[in-house]
Amino acid sequence: MKSSQRAPHDSLTETRVARELGLFLPFVRPGTWAKRKNGRGRSREAKSQDWKMAKDKTRTNHILLLLCLNVGVDPPDVMRVQPCAKLECWSDPLLAQSKMLTKGSEVIGELLQDQYRSLMREKKENIFCKTCLELSVDDLKYNLQTMRKKARDGRILIHYNGHGVPRVTQHGELWFFDSSHSQYVPVTITDIMQCVGSPAIYVLDCSNAGAILHHWYRHNFHNSRKKDILICACRRHEDLPMNPNLPADILTACLTTPIRASFEWYYHYSQRECLLPNVTKPMLQHLPGSAQDRKSPLGELLWIFTAVTDAIAWCSLSRELFNRLFRPRHDMLQMTLFRNFLLADRIMREAGCVPLSHPPLPETHAHPMWESWELALEFILSQLPSMLNEDFSVNPSYVYKPSPFFNEQLTAFELWVEFAGTSTKTPDQLPCIIQGLSSHQYRVRSLRLLARFLDLGEWAVEDALSCGVMPYVCKLLHQVDLPYFMTVIWTKILTADSSEAVLNELIRGQTPPARKFLKVLNPSMDNGSGTPEPGHVPESEVFALDGTTKEQCRAMTCFILSVVMNGAGLEAQLQCWNWGLLPCCLSVCKSDDKQLQAWGLVCIASLVSQVPKAMEYCVISRGIHVGEMSALLSSSSQVVRAAACFCLSHLIGLGMLHDKPAYLYADVAMLGLLSELVNDPSPTVREEVLHALARYFVCYKQSPGSPALMGQSGLLQRPDTMSTLNIENPTTNFSSHSGAGTLPVPELSMPQSVVSSDASSTQDAAAALNPGLPRSGRPGIFGYQHKGGMLTTSGDSLSDLNAGSDGQMAPNTNLGFQSNLPHSGAQLELSEQLSQEFDDDDQLQHGAEGEPEPPAAAAAKKAGALPDLRVRLLADVKCVIDALVDDAFPPLADTVAAVMEALENDVTKLPTSTLFATMRREMEQPLFRVEESALTLERRRYREQLNKDTLQAFVVKASDRCFLASPSGPAGRVDNAALTPLLPNSDAIVASAFRALAPHAVLANKRDISIVDLSTKTVLSSAQHPVTVTHTFVLNDTADNPSLLVTDVKGRVSIYSDLVSVPGGQTKASISLDTAFSACVNPKRVCADWQTSDSTLIYSGDPMKILVYAMEEERLQQTIALPLRGVGLTALRADDSGSRSVAAGFEDGTVKYWDARSGDSHHLFAWLVSPGVQDPVVDVALRLGSHHVFSAHKSGVIKVWDLRAARSDYRKLDAYKGKTLTFAKLHHLHPILMCGHTSPDQPGKLQFISTKNESLGEVVLPEMSHAQVSLHPFTTSALVGSSLLQF
């Protein structure tokens, strides 16, 4: 945390110190190594319900209606007391029989058919519905078998109405008639099931229907016929209700006409007389509107009813049962029946009858959502008196008021997401949100809330998929132009589940998904006719997606397309290529957003992976490996650098497909770029370099003369399958595109100007391939100069490249990269041979007199040379791999071991890159603001208050004098409490550091690092370091989990974590190594300092330069060249006030000062030197907030340099009167200098002086060895070797 303003530098008051605490003790600044180790925490464990049960494509298109009404004749076991229920399908069969001069059962059969057809969205010709009246047993068997033959493997619905026959027997028997219709004949449900087969739905509207279900379970049919479904009108020993206010077939009425059944229940069982006295029963029967028009009263009621029943089922049923009954994608009739069954359960319980089903459903009749349904019902019915005229016709002057149901549900869901997003209970309104997606009125708001809900984590995505969001978002993707919303939603879905089922849902449809998502990358994309597409969303209108930016949406688009191309394969790659994805990705790589750059590179890798022709265009014609890639490899973001390496690994390998120097040298150029990153501080980047080189190594190892088959690396598997790739003009959008699948592009043939050995000019070919780019400015790979090795080129500008025919190398052009690795003899020989090969190729092409030689003769002459060059190139690749293996630090050690084992034993087990998975986890991070829990906020407040109280207790008001805290006066107090025996091996302490706001210290001897509690003299945790430690720095000291940076004599920089106790009072057994990298190979003397304000490590192990590492970015930020050759650097300090300045002392007594903000690594801000004096500098210091540099010299002289004066102007502090000075330390806050002399054979003498040249006292340490000295940043405490000094 940086301070935006600084107080004046005149005094260090307590207020100023508290304000500038962030300059050297940031509250929280977690390093990327901590993110890599800890990963992303989730608020809730992800659910594992399988929403893909929708893959069952069984439909219910065959309906058999078995009506045994026997109108006019009561069954022998039924006593009907008038008045009683008599309506069947809302019609009186006796009245129909008397008026129409036909059987009443025939009228009921026709009405029931119409009611079932109204439930189904299928066309009438696709529905087979048959009504059988008063069936005999023989007719029953025939009709059941015939229906099964017609349905084949589909589901059959058997609707049985037994209101005119006896009740079901206790043995599970249904009643029918004999052939003469004079007797009742029982038929067991077992016999019916044998004729019907499976799957089937049985709707049993008769008394004692529960006995059938009892018989079903008793004979274990629920296990043997798992696809069958039963719906029974009542329980065992229960009769159908006889209430005259309800129809006789109340179950059938609820299942087939739920709105009218709701009206009847509302009219007879609610307090209508009090609430709506003006609404009459005839009004209810004339509710205007249609089921398809959601803006009409009837259509809106049906829509609300669907949302309510879905919400009730979602809250009450298990996920598996919900997906089976309420989300069968291909069986709308089954889903509608169970929605209506929930209404039947509520209404029939009011009449004293409990319907049953298999699978059994929990009780839902008292769910709170029914109150919302009743409220919506009342709101719409209350408008009927004004909506209808006296003759029940629609009043044309009345304007219908839509129900506020969905607005209320959306508001409730929004409040849940805002305030209860971390709750363990899924919101009840989720099905209502999904229903809102299908309406233009609520779509935008529903999409925004859905995006925020999916952003809560993987569990939210699983819940949304289980609730049935997939069909809606697929339909919106292909039919509605809302690219930004679709990008966010599909990103969250694919981060949680990118299985084949999800990808199939995404890519199916008439419009390719690439075209939809590319509108986010390229807002000006048109339909090929030159006019913008209708409904195109301008880039300025991003629909108020709070928390997201356009750059984030574009990065998510690249992620989606990468997932699609990786999962769907070649067809998706062709679609994306032909719709112009490559130029879009190259344009986003130039963005300032690092995440967008990284995903653009990954998207390019997915686009060209295993597509040789696309690789040839990108590398040979477009030259992106030396244009865009070379710049991105030096990015400040480690993710961008790793993504660039990942992209190169998919572009490399053309040299094994073609016997041409241009292709081989393209591989050489890319290998040279990769070799530059061998010592990158980021383990992620080094891992990608290792994967790329290992795959290239395996390629040549397997088959030096022919293409090797590799999986993910871009080492090519399908060299001859490209038939639709528009390589001749990859940026053109064809207006003739007609849907998904293979696009109508002519068969591909690579242009002769690119692959032909006798082409006149490769530049001409490149210009022909991409007419939009000027001929003279086109980047390419041609024109290289060989110096020293194949992976080595000199550093001229790319703009001077000259292309020759067939990729011949111009004599004075180069790539602009220089490898730091030592070159083997094989490299030198290979370079010379390759150069000679190019010369020979030139002679073959033009002959002795300049006349061109036939291509066949030239090819025959050089046919045997390139395979040999490939083998020799292997030496360079092996050299770089060995360099990576030598620096196999965590977390790269396991990957290196796996790669080397695969290379030595079985190359088919070569591990694949984990970069895509890592970046995908980053994409799972929340986009929108998430409120922290009360516990987290309380912990943060406690930590901030503790830091503030501790700081106030530590800080002493600045003054011109410093009073020592010891009661013995100026001598101070030494607490030499045997710290050394606490450490392993009891070796001398070579490095130490204080914890700022805790009584802890870091002590390191030759091979061990320990965290010691100074108050109890106990070791909290420890770890072994492989070599001798030189410096230790505590990082993120005020955070909950600080880290430790360690340098050693081998030039390595290591990061350790777990320095503090874990909750519960327990402690870690050992601190853990998170990451490490090599800053210098075999350094002569290591000097280092940590700059907390910028999270920067200042390091020098080479007398020629100082390295500035930005540890938060994990990169080498700057290299400061030292102007003095042969003069060793002895001290190095950084200014921790945020100025990014560095001071260094040398053996010749000079002091140099740099300001890193200048950006010029050679800019020397000040050269401080004493004329004629060769007095080595022991230490240098920069006073916090001042313009002075302190330098302590071996002769005992302490100089104070004013940076505002001349370089030779200084003042001396001669209060030190000891022997030869061996160390000196300046306190950050107090004007105190601690300096002294240490010797292994003599007592050590410490002297304290003020910055005004006043002696403040001295201390004699009898057993002080030459060791690192550490000062506490706040208190007057010091660690000198194993001695703790309070002064």
Side-chain angles (χ1 to χ4, degrees):
M1 176 177 12
K2 298 181 182 179
S3 177
S4 59
Q5 295 181 354
R6 300 190 182 93
H9 299 290
D10 52 351
S11 64
L12 290 175
T13 61
E14 180 178 348
T15 304
R16 179 194 165 201
V17 171
R19 183 169 62 250
E20 292 198 355
L21 174 63
L23 294 180
F24 50 93
L25 285 177
F27 174 68
V28 173
R29 173 171 264 187
T32 51
W33 51 86
K35 295 179 184 178
R36 185 182 301 109
K37 178 176 184 287
N38 298 330
R40 173 181 181 262
R42 291 178 181 170
S43 59
R44 193 190 325 175
E45 183 180 357
K47 297 183 179 181
S48 59
Q49 280 75 21
D50 185 12
W51 63 274
K52 306 179 189 68
M53 296 179 64
K55 291 187 294 186
D56 184 11
K57 297 184 179 181
T58 305
R59 296 174 181 265
T60 305
N61 290 338
H62 292 74
I63 303 173
L64 183 62
L65 306 178
L66 308 177
L67 304 183
C68 297
L69 297 176
N70 203 11
V71 178
V73 180
D74 292 339
D77 57 349
V78 176
M79 297 293 295
R80 288 195 173 100
V81 179
Q82 300 297 330
C84 66
K86 55 184 178 181
L87 296 181
E88 303 278 352
C89 295
W90 307 105
S91 177
D92 188 347
L94 288 175
L95 184 61
Q97 183 171 318
S98 62
K99 287 185 177 181
M100 297 184 175
L101 303 177
T102 182
K103 291 184 178 181
S105 55
E106 294 181 359
V107 177
I108 303 304
E110 292 178 359
L111 293 175
L112 186 57
Q113 278 197 32
D114 294 339
Q115 290 178 184
Y116 267 113
R117 291 181 186 276
S118 65
L119 296 180
M120 305 176 68
R121 299 179 182 177
E122 299 285 342
K123 296 180 180 179
K124 291 185 177 181
E125 55 268 20
N126 296 331
I127 304 173
F128 184 81
C129 186
K130 183 177 181 180
T131 302
C132 299
L133 307 174
E134 327 299 347
L135 273 179
S136 65
V137 176
D138 294 336
D139 293 340
L140 172 66
K141 182 177 180 181
Y142 171 78
N143 282 281
L144 293 177
Q145 293 176 347
T146 303
M147 187 64 69
R148 172 49 63 190
K149 291 180 181 179
K150 291 180 178 296
R152 297 182 181 179
D153 296 332
R155 183 177 282 112
I156 301 175
L157 187 145
I158 307 295
H159 183 104
Y160 174 76
N161 186 324
H163 296 173
V165 295
R167 64 204 314 264
V168 177
T169 67
Q170 299 303 319
H171 302 289
E173 295 171 321
L174 301 174
W175 292 94
F176 294 89
F177 298 93
D178 62 359
S179 57
S180 61
H181 290 78
S182 60
Q183 295 182 356
Y184 301 111
V185 179
V187 180
T188 64
I189 190 65
T190 305
D191 296 337
I192 294 177
M193 289 188 301
Q194 289 177 353
C195 295
V196 174
S198 184
I201 299 178
Y202 300 91
V203 178
L204 306 176
D205 192 352
C206 55
S207 297
N208 196 30
I212 299 293
L213 198 58
H214 178 75
H215 180 82
W216 181 277
Y217 285 111
R218 187 177 61 184
H219 289 80
N220 202 30
F221 289 136
H222 60 288
N223 291 326
S224 60
R225 302 173 69 92
K226 293 185 177 181
K227 292 186 176 182
D228 287 1
I229 296 173
L230 272 74
I231 297 178
C232 303
C234 57
R235 293 181 294 191
R236 191 182 180 190
H237 305 300
E238 205 170 59
D239 291 328
L240 294 177
M242 294 293 180
N243 192 323
N245 294 326
L246 297 176
D249 59 344
I250 181 62
L251 175 66
T252 302
C254 291
L255 293 181
T256 57
T257 55
I259 300 301
R260 186 167 183 179
S262 298
F263 288 167
E264 292 294 327
W265 172 86
Y266 181 80
Y267 186 84
H268 294 289
Y269 285 89
S270 68
Q271 302 297 325
R272 179 196 56 81
E273 292 83 359
C274 299
L275 298 176
L276 302 174
N278 297 326
V279 177
T280 62
K281 190 172 183 179
M283 289 182 181
L284 299 178
Q285 299 175 1
H286 292 84
L287 182 70
S290 64
Q292 291 74 26
D293 185 9
R294 291 181 175 178
K295 294 182 179 180
S296 66
L298 179 59
E300 187 176 27
L301 264 182
L302 281 172
W303 186 27
I304 295 174
F305 176 78
T306 300
V308 168
T309 51
D310 280 354
I312 294 174
W314 168 253
C315 300
S316 306
L317 275 62
S318 65
R319 294 295 177 263
E320 180 181 0
L321 189 59
F322 180 84
N323 285 322
R324 177 184 175 186
L325 301 180
F326 288 83
R327 287 297 178 264
R329 292 277 298 278
H330 301 279
D331 198 344
M332 299 301 299
L333 179 59
Q334 173 191 317
M335 180 169 57
T336 305
L337 283 178
F338 272 95
R339 283 174 178 163
N340 300 342
F341 178 78
L342 299 181
L343 177 67
D345 181 57
R346 177 170 175 80
I347 292 179
M348 295 180 69
R349 284 178 184 268
E350 294 283 346
C353 183
V354 180
L356 302 177
S357 68
H358 171 78
L361 303 183
E363 293 185 0
T364 59
H365 64 283
H367 195 277
M369 285 298 293
W370 286 120
E371 297 180 4
S372 300
W373 163 245
E374 294 170 10
L375 181 62
L377 196 66
E378 291 174 359
F379 181 85
I380 294 178
L381 295 183
S382 65
Q383 303 181 58
L384 284 178
S386 302
M387 193 183 308
L388 300 176
N389 297 320
E390 293 182 357
D391 58 350
F392 304 114
S393 60
V394 179
N395 182 6
S397 63
Y398 182 77
V399 179
Y400 171 69
K401 300 176 182 178
S403 171
F405 171 81
F406 280 101
N407 276 327
E408 294 169 354
Q409 298 302 314
L410 292 175
T411 301
F413 188 84
E414 185 175 9
L415 293 174
W416 186 95
V417 172
E418 185 72 22
F419 299 105
T422 57
S423 173
T424 58
K425 184 178 181 299
T426 303
D428 299 347
Q429 297 80 14
L430 181 58
C432 300
I433 300 300
I434 296 177
Q435 286 293 325
L437 297 176
S438 58
S439 170
H440 178 75
Q441 181 179 358
Y442 307 108
R443 182 173 296 147
V444 171
R445 188 180 179 190
S446 299
L447 283 172
R448 187 175 67 86
L449 293 177
L450 178 62
R452 294 190 61 184
F453 176 70
L454 298 179
D455 191 53
L456 295 179
E458 184 177 348
W459 65 269
V461 177
E462 290 289 341
D463 280 354
L465 293 177
S466 297
C467 196
V469 76
M470 182 62 74
Y472 293 89
V473 294
C474 289
K475 184 177 180 180
L476 291 177
L477 175 65
H478 296 293
Q479 297 183 2
V480 182
D481 198 359
L482 297 172
Y484 291 98
F485 278 122
M486 290 294 101
T487 297
V488 175
I489 290 173
W490 274 105
T491 296
K492 293 305 175 181
I493 293 176
L494 292 177
T495 54
D497 189 350
S498 58
S499 60
E500 182 180 358
V502 176
L503 293 178
N504 289 338
E505 296 287 346
L506 175 60
I507 63 179
R508 72 178 186 175
Q510 294 184 351
T511 304
R515 185 181 180 184
K516 288 292 184 180
F517 289 116
L518 278 175
K519 289 185 178 181
V520 179
L521 290 179
N522 183 15
S524 60
M525 179 180 178
D526 55 34
N527 55 10
S529 61
T531 59
E533 288 193 349
H536 176 67
V537 181
E539 192 173 359
S540 59
E541 300 178 10
V542 195
F543 291 120
L545 275 173
D546 301 333
T548 62
T549 62
K550 296 174 185 176
E551 287 73 19
Q552 284 179 315
C553 290
R554 299 172 77 188
M556 287 185 282
T557 299
C558 293
F559 163 74
I560 294 172
L561 295 176
S562 298
V563 172
V564 171
M565 289 185 289
N566 292 339
L570 182 60
E571 180 180 352
Q573 289 173 290
L574 295 179
Q575 289 181 356
C576 293
W577 179 279
N578 291 339
W579 279 107
L581 177 58
L582 179 62
C584 292
C585 290
L586 293 177
S587 66
V588 302
C589 289
K590 300 176 183 178
S591 171
D592 295 332
D593 187 83
K594 302 303 180 184
Q595 184 189 34
L596 178 56
Q597 286 183 337
W599 277 112
L601 291 167
V602 172
C603 197
I604 292 176
S606 302
L607 179 64
V608 304
S609 178
Q610 302 182 17
V611 185
K613 296 298 183 182
M615 291 172 57
E616 290 178 25
Y617 176 83
C618 292
V619 175
I620 302 301
S621 301
R622 185 63 175 81
I624 66 175
H625 64 295
V626 294
E628 288 81 356
M629 296 300 161
S630 59
L632 294 171
L633 286 172
S634 58
S635 171
S636 60
S637 171
Q638 70 273 15
V639 179
V640 175
R641 299 196 304 273
C645 295
F646 182 78
C647 186
L648 284 179
S649 69
H650 289 74
L651 293 172
I652 201 170
L654 287 174
M656 70 177 182
L657 285 178
H658 305 279
D659 290 334
K660 293 182 177 60
Y663 291 85
L664 180 60
Y665 208 78
D667 290 349
V668 174
M670 287 183 276
L671 290 172
L673 293 175
L674 293 170
S675 66
E676 298 294 326
L677 301 174
V678 171
N679 292 325
D680 193 278
S682 172
T684 305
V685 177
R686 299 199 305 271
E687 181 178 0
E688 291 307 311
V689 174
L690 177 64
H691 282 301
L693 297 179
R695 288 193 291 262
Y696 195 77
F697 180 85
V698 169
C699 172
Y700 282 94
K701 184 177 180 181
Q702 283 183 332
S703 180
S706 63
L709 301 181
M710 295 290 293
Q712 186 185 352
S713 65
L715 303 179
L716 314 170
Q717 291 185 358
R718 300 186 295 261
D720 297 322
T721 57
M722 295 296 299
S723 60
T724 58
L725 182 65
N726 182 24
I727 196 67
E728 296 186 355
N729 199 354
T731 61
T732 299
N733 295 328
F734 291 90
S735 59
S736 60
H737 287 176
S738 57
T742 303
L743 302 178
V745 185
E747 183 174 354
L748 170 71
S749 59
M750 191 66 178
Q752 289 293 325
S753 57
V754 176
V755 300
S756 176
S757 61
D758 58 348
S760 60
S761 173
T762 309
Q763 236 179 11
D764 293 338
L769 288 171
N770 196 347
L773 188 65
R775 173 187 174 116
S776 60
R778 180 170 305 281
I781 66 161
F782 310 102
Y784 296 77
Q785 182 179 8
H786 301 278
K787 291 184 179 180
M790 288 198 69
L791 301 186
T792 305
T793 55
S794 56
D796 295 338
S797 173
L798 285 175
S799 61
D800 297 330
L801 294 182
N802 297 316
S805 62
D806 190 30
Q808 298 179 40
M809 309 307 153
N812 295 317
T813 52
N814 49 70
L815 268 177
F817 304 104
Q818 181 76 27
S819 175
N820 294 325
L821 297 177
H823 303 294
S824 61
Q827 286 178 294
L828 298 175
E829 184 178 357
L830 178 58
S831 176
E832 296 173 359
Q833 189 163 358
L834 185 60
S835 300
Q836 183 61 38
E837 176 63 24
F838 292 146
D839 295 338
D840 295 342
D841 181 68
D842 183 70
Q843 294 179 7
L844 288 173
Q845 296 275 340
H846 300 283
E849 302 296 335
E851 297 180 359
E853 194 167 323
K861 187 172 181 180
K862 63 178 182 179
L866 285 181
D868 184 56
L869 295 180
R870 295 191 184 101
V871 176
R872 293 180 176 275
L873 180 59
L874 189 61
D876 288 346
V877 178
K878 184 64 168 61
C879 179
V880 181
I881 293 178
D882 290 341
L884 287 168
V885 172
D886 293 340
D887 294 336
F889 306 120
L892 192 58
D894 296 338
T895 303
V896 169
V899 168
M900 295 309 297
E901 182 180 359
L903 293 179
E904 294 175 0
N905 300 322
D906 187 2
V907 294
T908 60
K909 297 181 179 180
L910 188 70
T912 58
S913 171
T914 59
L915 178 67
F916 189 86
T918 303
M919 295 177 61
R920 178 175 177 164
R921 286 193 296 270
E922 290 294 326
M923 196 62 71
E924 296 175 5
Q925 297 291 337
L927 293 172
F928 307 102
R929 181 177 60 88
V930 178
E931 293 290 341
E932 295 180 308
S933 63
L935 179 60
T936 303
L937 292 175
E938 186 62 28
R939 288 185 61 187
R940 174 169 294 181
R941 294 191 192 101
Y942 171 77
R943 169 65 68 176
E944 291 176 347
Q945 187 63 37
L946 177 63
N947 292 343
K948 182 179 179 180
D949 295 343
T950 307
L951 177 65
Q952 290 177 353
F954 281 160
V955 171
V956 179
K957 289 186 177 181
S959 62
D960 293 339
R961 295 180 55 86
C962 177
F963 298 95
L964 301 182
S966 171
S968 60
R973 177 170 60 88
V974 177
D975 187 6
N976 193 7
L979 296 179
T980 301
L982 298 177
L983 307 182
N985 303 324
S986 298
D987 292 334
I989 297 176
V990 296
S992 59
F994 278 99
R995 291 289 311 280
L997 302 180
H1000 302 160
V1002 180
L1003 303 178
N1005 54 23
K1006 290 184 178 180
R1007 294 297 176 89
D1008 299 284
I1009 303 172
S1010 301
I1011 310 300
V1012 178
D1013 190 334
L1014 299 177
S1015 60
T1016 61
K1017 304 299 187 295
T1018 57
V1019 177
L1020 300 178
S1021 55
S1022 62
Q1024 288 188 343
H1025 196 76
V1027 293
T1028 304
V1029 175
T1030 60
H1031 298 82
T1032 57
F1033 304 101
V1034 180
L1035 315 182
N1036 304 325
D1037 204 357
T1038 60
D1040 292 334
N1041 187 18
S1043 302
L1044 179 66
L1045 187 145
V1046 174
T1047 63
D1048 56 41
V1049 296
K1050 291 293 186 180
R1052 298 173 181 174
V1053 178
S1054 306
I1055 305 292
Y1056 290 88
S1057 63
D1058 300 328
L1059 306 186
V1060 296
S1061 302
V1062 298
Q1066 301 176 353
T1067 58
K1068 295 285 185 179
S1070 62
I1071 59 179
S1072 58
L1073 178 62
D1074 283 345
T1075 185
F1077 65 94
S1078 178
C1080 183
V1081 179
N1082 297 324
K1084 295 181 179 180
R1085 179 173 180 174
V1086 176
C1087 296
D1089 196 16
W1090 175 253
Q1091 195 171 24
T1092 306
S1093 59
D1094 291 320
S1095 296
T1096 301
L1097 174 66
I1098 313 298
Y1099 183 93
S1100 178
D1102 187 340
M1104 306 298 295
K1105 57 188 175 182
I1106 298 174
L1107 305 178
V1108 181
Y1109 286 99
M1111 298 304 295
E1112 192 170 19
E1113 299 172 351
E1114 292 185 311
R1115 71 181 181 103
L1116 179 60
Q1117 186 180 50
Q1118 193 173 10
T1119 300
I1120 301 176
L1122 300 181
L1124 294 180
R1125 303 287 178 128
V1127 179
L1129 186 145
T1130 58
L1132 186 63
R1133 287 293 178 267
D1135 186 1
D1136 219 349
S1137 64
S1139 63
R1140 292 181 59 191
S1141 54
V1142 178
F1146 294 87
E1147 292 177 346
D1148 62 352
T1150 60
V1151 178
K1152 296 179 176 59
Y1153 179 86
W1154 290 267
D1155 192 335
R1157 294 173 297 179
S1158 65
D1160 185 0
S1161 60
H1162 298 279
H1163 179 67
L1164 185 61
F1165 184 77
W1167 188 344
L1168 312 175
V1169 60
S1170 301
V1173 179
Q1174 295 290 329
D1175 192 0
V1177 177
V1178 175
D1179 203 350
V1180 293
L1182 297 170
R1183 183 76 187 280
L1184 181 64
S1186 71
H1187 300 283
H1188 298 90
V1189 177
F1190 294 79
S1191 63
H1193 298 259
K1194 187 175 182 181
S1195 63
V1197 177
I1198 300 176
K1199 302 176 181 180
V1200 182
W1201 307 83
D1202 192 337
L1203 297 175
R1204 297 167 295 182
R1207 70 176 189 175
S1208 59
D1209 186 11
Y1210 64 90
R1211 62 185 178 91
K1212 290 184 179 181
L1213 301 180
D1214 54 2
Y1216 175 71
K1217 301 176 181 179
K1219 299 180 181 180
T1220 304
L1221 189 65
T1222 56
F1223 71 88
K1225 292 291 181 181
L1226 174 66
H1227 201 282
H1228 274 288
L1229 300 179
H1230 305 292
I1232 306 172
L1233 278 162
M1234 184 179 70
C1235 45
H1237 173 77
T1238 60
S1239 176
D1241 54 352
Q1242 295 180 5
K1245 179 181 177 182
L1246 300 179
Q1247 186 170 346
F1248 301 91
I1249 64 174
S1250 70
T1251 56
K1252 292 193 175 183
N1253 200 20
E1254 297 175 347
S1255 178
L1256 302 177
E1258 62 181 27
V1259 175
V1260 177
L1261 299 180
E1263 296 180 356
M1264 185 172 64
S1265 61
H1266 185 71
Q1268 290 285 339
V1269 180
S1270 299
L1271 290 176
H1272 196 284
F1274 296 142
T1275 66
T1276 54
S1277 302
L1279 277 171
V1280 184
S1282 61
S1283 300
L1284 176 61
L1285 179 64
Q1286 301 286 347
F1287 56 92

